Amino acid sequence: MSIFITILEGVYLLIAFIMAIQAIFNIRLRLFIWETPEHAWLNSAPTVYLDPCLTFTILLPARHEEEVLRETMQKIYDLNYPRELLQIIAICREDDPNTIAEAQAKIDELGDPNVQLLVFNDKPINKPHGLNLALQVARGDIVTIFDAEDEPHPDILNIINTTMLTDDVDVVQSGVQLMNHNTKWFCFLNVLEYFFWFKSSLHFFANVGMTPLGGNTVFVRRELMETLGGWDETCLTEDADLGIRLALSHARIRVIYDDEFVTREETPHTIEQFIKQRTRWNQGFIQILFKGEWLKLERPYQRLLAFYVLVLPEVQAFFTLLIPVSLLTFFFIKLPLWISLLTFLPLYIFIMGIFIDQAGLYEFLKAHGRSWSIREAAIMLFASVPYQFLLGLGALRAVSRFLQGATNWEKTAHIGQHRQ
């Protein structure tokens, strides 16, 4: 019995240690950009634009997006960039007549041959397949993606044109930001995830040379995309997979998150939609983990960082399963005082993270000209633990689907909350 207790104590300490290290590293990622003034300048967009030179193909994949697509197409068409240097391709599948009708109506209204509609009817039914078909007819120097609900800044193409010409880079990941921070209780922390990820964490990854890209507002030289063979049609997170393959090809990547010029998006509008979105992201990371291309990264710390990012879904699912075990242990097993105190270490770091979230909320609101309130800060405080539970459910569901061999694309619905 004493051996069992000793093993249990050792397992407890190991799990607490792993949870603490993971939490500390997560804080490190979120605060990276604020460490030095040099880091902060990485997010600054150019203030003087070079003359438009590069041509752009903008891919606009849409499925069941009839509520938001027409307005998005108009916003993209109205970008402050010469229209003769733009090619806009809306991508729909044949079994989605409502979205096709909306896209065609907007194309007829605009009357510009550079605004086109691509309709496909083969499989797989997913975003990367549509993107690959559009890549075959793309003619711009730079290829980029906007989602059907996106609101890009009017000057985004001037920023990318200037950055790519000045910095001589192959890829620019510009900022994406969820905007409806107070629509639902979970929206506060969802918005802050994007805020810290695009504003800070991606710079850390780019500095290491292993950048899991975001799903849109990524600008890649078309010739490079063609060399890489486009997007992986079997992967549920084709953006993160592309980031790893770009790292393997030694592509020069620049990350910019300027609060003024972010592409605005909305959070999932229900808890069910949120969990399905996280399930897809987590399952995509699991796919990339077992695909194994990250093992070809040159440097050990690049492979270690890739492993950390890709294995998180399994770790998060494991920690979620430990919750009932921890509760049973709390009531039925008596541990030495010093071990009990050490097992609270992850909790202390979690509380520190809550304070960082509060500071992040203040920074986000200030950047976008919104007022801070005690009520919203209190809602976010009480949402912290339930939000982690939702993340855990998404991770568990992803692992379950992966083990079952389910690979169908669970699309996130959009209703334009960020435009209200």
Side-chain angles (χ1 to χ4, degrees):
M1 189 67 179
S2 60
I3 295 177
F4 173 77
I5 295 298
T6 302
I7 294 174
L8 182 63
E9 291 174 352
V11 170
Y12 247 70
L13 287 176
L14 178 62
I15 292 174
F17 177 75
I18 293 174
M19 293 179 68
I21 293 298
Q22 189 274 330
I24 291 171
F25 184 66
N26 185 50
I27 289 176
R28 169 86 166 88
L29 291 176
R30 298 168 81 191
L31 298 182
F32 174 78
I33 202 66
W34 287 279
E35 284 184 352
T36 67
E38 290 76 17
H39 288 173
W41 279 108
L42 291 172
N43 275 326
S44 298
T47 55
V48 178
Y49 303 144
L50 297 181
D51 290 337
C53 176
L54 298 172
T55 58
F56 290 85
T57 293
I58 299 174
L59 307 181
L60 189 57
R63 182 165 177 78
H64 304 309
E65 301 283 12
E66 54 270 21
E67 292 189 36
V68 294
L69 181 60
R70 290 186 68 167
E71 186 174 348
T72 301
M73 291 180 69
Q74 185 66 56
K75 288 180 180 295
I76 292 174
Y77 189 72
D78 290 339
L79 294 176
N80 296 332
Y81 204 78
R83 287 174 179 166
E84 63 271 17
L85 300 182
L86 296 183
Q87 178 190 22
I88 302 171
I89 306 178
I91 307 166
C92 302
R93 197 172 187 278
E94 191 177 55
D95 59 352
D96 185 12
N98 292 335
T99 305
I100 291 173
E102 290 295 319
Q104 190 61 60
K106 175 53 71 173
I107 290 172
D108 293 342
E109 177 186 326
L110 296 175
D112 189 329
N114 286 336
V115 185
Q116 302 160 359
L117 173 62
L118 186 152
V119 179
F120 65 98
N121 59 8
D122 57 343
K123 293 185 178 181
I125 307 174
N126 61 28
K127 177 179 176 181
H129 180 56
L131 294 176
N132 283 334
L133 294 175
L135 182 62
Q136 297 177 20
V137 297
R139 59 174 186 267
D141 301 318
I142 310 299
V143 174
T144 190
I145 305 166
F146 288 115
D147 289 338
E149 85 282 11
D150 282 356
E151 290 196 352
H153 189 276
D155 283 329
I156 186 64
L157 298 185
N158 282 306
I159 291 169
I160 303 304
N161 176 74
T162 302
T163 301
M164 284 194 142
L165 294 176
T166 302
D167 297 351
D168 190 26
V169 292
D170 302 306
V171 183
V172 177
Q173 167 74 75
S174 189
V176 181
Q177 183 59 62
L178 305 180
M179 296 304 299
N180 54 309
H181 73 284
N182 56 4
T183 306
K184 300 284 179 62
W185 65 266
F186 61 88
C187 293
F188 291 92
L189 291 156
N190 196 192
V191 165
L192 288 182
E193 276 190 290
Y194 272 63
F195 181 74
F196 284 117
W197 178 261
F198 285 95
K199 194 179 185 75
S200 181
S201 300
L202 280 180
H203 284 289
F204 181 90
F205 291 125
N207 187 56
V208 171
M210 197 293 296
T211 313
L213 298 172
N216 66 72
T217 321
V218 179
F219 299 83
V220 187
R221 295 190 183 274
R222 177 172 54 84
E223 291 182 356
L224 177 57
M225 281 301 308
E226 292 171 344
T227 301
L228 292 176
W231 293 267
D232 184 349
E233 297 182 7
T234 66
C235 186
L236 293 173
T237 49
E238 78 291 337
D239 44 3
D241 174 77
L242 176 62
I244 295 214
R245 289 191 288 133
L246 286 168
L248 289 170
S249 69
H250 303 287
R252 296 157 296 180
I253 300 177
R254 174 85 158 87
V255 178
I256 298 176
Y257 180 104
D258 191 309
D259 294 295
E260 181 181 354
F261 300 106
V262 295
T263 295
R264 301 180 173 216
E265 291 188 347
E266 65 177 332
T267 66
H269 65 282
T270 66
I271 290 177
E272 179 186 8
Q273 287 288 312
F274 177 79
I275 292 175
K276 284 185 176 181
Q277 183 188 68
R278 288 311 166 106
T279 298
R280 177 166 55 84
W281 292 358
N282 287 326
Q283 190 176 352
F285 279 15
I286 297 172
Q287 289 176 324
I288 298 170
L289 175 69
F290 285 96
K291 184 179 177 181
E293 288 199 353
W294 58 276
L295 292 169
K296 302 175 185 176
L297 292 167
E298 289 184 357
R299 298 176 178 84
Y301 55 81
Q302 290 176 317
R303 296 193 292 272
L304 181 61
L305 184 59
F307 177 75
Y308 167 79
V309 172
L310 298 176
V311 83
L312 271 180
E314 293 96 326
V315 173
Q316 200 165 34
F318 175 69
F319 287 161
T320 304
L321 289 175
L322 283 181
I323 293 175
V325 177
S326 300
L327 292 175
L328 289 173
T329 304
F330 178 79
F331 287 106
F332 297 106
I333 296 181
K334 184 176 182 180
L335 294 172
L337 180 60
W338 67 275
I339 292 181
S340 298
L341 291 175
L342 284 177
T343 58
F344 277 91
L345 182 59
L347 176 62
Y348 304 146
I349 302 170
F350 177 72
I351 293 172
M352 184 188 303
I354 290 176
F355 282 104
I356 293 172
D357 284 337
Q358 294 290 346
L361 177 63
Y362 176 80
E363 286 293 317
F364 168 79
L365 295 172
K366 183 176 71 172
H368 295 283
R370 302 179 183 183
S371 58
W372 181 89
S373 72
I374 293 179
R375 175 182 172 275
E376 290 187 346
I379 292 174
M380 192 174 73
L381 175 65
F382 289 107
S384 296
V385 173
Y387 188 76
Q388 296 303 315
F389 183 68
L390 293 185
L391 296 179
L393 286 178
L396 279 171
R397 192 165 176 269
V399 172
S400 175
R401 278 173 53 87
F402 180 77
L403 293 176
Q404 294 171 21
T407 58
N408 60 299
W409 187 281
E410 293 186 319
K411 183 190 170 298
T412 305
H414 299 118
I415 60 175
Q417 297 174 105
H418 57 313
R419 293 174 176 171
Q420 297 173 7

